[in-house]
Amino acid sequence: MEVRKTADVIIPAYHPGTEFGELLKRLENQDYPIRKIIVMNTEEKFWDPKWEKDRNLLEVHHLSRAEFDHGGTRKAAAAMSDADVLIFMTQDALPRDRHLIRELLRPLEQEKVAASYAKQIPGKDCRYLEKYTRSFNYPEHSSVKWEKDIERIGIKAFFCSNVCAAYDRNVYEQLGGFVDRAIFNEDMIFAASLLRNGYGVAYAAQACVIHSHNYSGVQQFHRNFDLGVSQAEHPEVFDGIPSEGEGLRLVKMSLLYLCRTGHFWLIPQLIWQSGCKYAGYFLGKRFCRLPRTLVRKCSMNAAYWERR
């Protein structure tokens, strides 16, 4: 008889909206049963107690905003689980169907594959250009990345998204888990460690979550500033592996797509958004040279700098 691996879901939450109840409902209705849903909620005043009513799977821990960290909070939650598989999600990612967990865990059955991340599909309100970006980053076919692929695809080899990702707990603990402090990119930092220790990172195209953002240019600037900071703070991972080339490829492919589909009026938006992304990333990589007051204004995560 097949021995089914146990799985816990871990969700950091901050001021979750009405869709959070739907997320919990869809997780409880998965055809691959979850053992426990661990929620790390920042700011108890934003938590709705009704979400805990009649939900036997839910385990909630409250922390202050000052205590939250992209890496440390997830690491603390992982230490509360002894499941075979740790599944990390964000509060705004909704399973597309009842098969998400099953499909997400399927690649972990392969030898030496220790992580798997889901496909993100756009929500109904997603802008046209963002829909293409989703298809660029999350193609139709599944794949597995190994250390040998770093030379071929560069930083894309490290891509893994904790919007919805599963990790073999034994390997996770063996390699020390997520970094204790991270402004961003805790998933890619750990994925790089997996590859360099001989493990594979799988993209599970059949495991789908509905997740997209309609960021403004200014929001893209802040987000990419933090992206640049995360790379600058972890040279052991990112030095010698530039990511600008991948960003430029996305811009070129997006431009061709807009021309091919006749959406010429969206080209100025593409130029503006791309410029904001690059400016944020450029400054983030050089944050050490900037005044602290400017760094706080550029960052999406001001609380991070209070603890630094």
Side-chain angles (χ1 to χ4, degrees):
M1 189 175 80
E2 178 188 1
V3 178
R4 174 176 280 167
K5 291 183 178 180
T6 57
D8 286 348
V9 176
I10 295 169
I11 309 172
Y14 174 69
H15 205 169
T18 54
E19 75 281 354
F20 193 71
E22 181 64 21
L23 167 59
L24 296 176
K25 178 182 175 182
R26 294 191 187 191
L27 287 175
E28 289 179 343
N29 289 331
Q30 290 291 299
D31 61 8
Y32 189 110
I34 297 164
R35 196 185 61 170
K36 187 164 55 173
I37 302 172
I38 302 171
V39 176
M40 303 295 280
N41 180 63
T42 306
E43 302 285 7
E44 188 170 359
K45 64 183 178 181
F46 295 137
W47 180 258
D48 191 337
K50 73 180 181 183
W51 287 322
E52 297 178 68
K53 188 178 180 182
D54 300 324
R55 296 196 184 279
N56 297 325
L57 302 184
L58 197 58
E59 177 183 312
V60 185
H61 301 269
H62 298 289
L63 57 152
S64 70
R65 193 166 186 181
E67 293 174 299
F68 176 79
D69 182 90
H70 277 269
T73 299
R74 287 177 169 88
K75 190 170 187 174
M80 300 173 187
S81 169
D82 61 357
D84 299 320
V85 179
L86 302 170
I87 300 172
F88 292 87
M89 295 187 68
T90 54
Q91 68 187 44
D92 56 349
L94 289 176
R96 182 187 63 179
D97 52 38
R98 296 183 64 242
H99 314 305
L100 170 68
I101 303 301
R102 180 180 300 280
E103 295 298 335
L104 188 63
L105 268 57
R106 193 183 301 279
L108 300 182
E109 297 171 5
Q110 301 176 52
E111 186 177 2
K112 300 292 282 185
V113 173
S116 170
Y117 63 97
K119 179 179 183 178
Q120 297 181 32
I121 58 178
K124 292 180 180 179
D125 63 342
C126 185
R127 294 193 193 121
Y128 188 81
L129 197 53
E130 178 61 18
K131 287 181 180 178
Y132 177 73
T133 301
R134 281 283 173 270
S135 67
F136 180 87
N137 289 325
Y138 301 96
E140 292 299 317
H141 301 291
S142 300
S143 60
V144 180
K145 295 171 289 188
W146 304 92
E147 184 177 24
K148 61 182 175 61
D149 295 311
I150 298 174
E151 185 176 352
R152 179 174 59 87
I153 60 176
I155 199 166
K156 194 113 180 180
F158 300 157
F159 186 74
C160 180
S161 177
N162 274 346
V163 164
C164 184
Y167 301 86
D168 181 295
R169 186 177 63 84
N170 287 334
V171 178
Y172 171 89
E173 291 181 347
Q174 173 192 325
L175 298 184
F178 298 126
V179 291
D180 293 315
R181 284 184 48 73
I183 192 170
F184 200 55
N185 261 354
E186 80 291 334
D187 37 23
M188 288 184 68
I189 293 167
F190 185 68
S193 177
L194 286 172
L195 295 185
R196 286 170 170 157
N197 281 277
Y199 294 99
V201 174
Y203 164 57
Q206 302 307 311
C208 298
V209 291
I210 303 166
H211 180 262
S212 56
H213 292 291
N214 290 320
Y215 285 137
S216 67
V218 173
Q219 289 173 315
Q220 293 283 15
F221 173 89
H222 292 310
R223 185 176 186 275
N224 278 52
F225 181 86
D226 289 353
L227 172 65
V229 169
S230 72
Q231 293 190 13
E233 289 191 320
H234 293 278
E236 76 283 0
V237 175
F238 297 105
D239 268 11
I241 306 179
S243 59
E244 290 92 336
E246 187 63 20
L248 184 60
R249 190 168 79 90
L250 173 58
V251 174
K252 289 179 178 178
M253 296 295 290
S254 298
L255 180 60
L256 289 172
Y257 179 72
L258 293 179
C259 292
R260 190 170 65 249
T261 58
H263 289 75
F264 302 105
W265 65 91
L266 292 178
I267 292 176
Q269 181 189 116
L270 172 64
I271 295 171
W272 165 246
Q273 294 249 341
S274 300
C276 289
K277 287 180 182 179
Y278 181 72
Y281 175 77
F282 182 87
L283 289 175
K285 287 277 283 188
R286 295 157 180 81
F287 80 95
C288 287
R289 306 178 200 173
L290 304 177
R292 179 54 63 93
T293 53
L294 181 58
V295 168
R296 287 174 57 86
K297 288 180 180 179
C298 290
S299 178
M300 184 177 270
N301 187 0
Y304 179 81
W305 303 101
E306 295 174 6
R307 305 188 304 271
R308 198 174 186 279

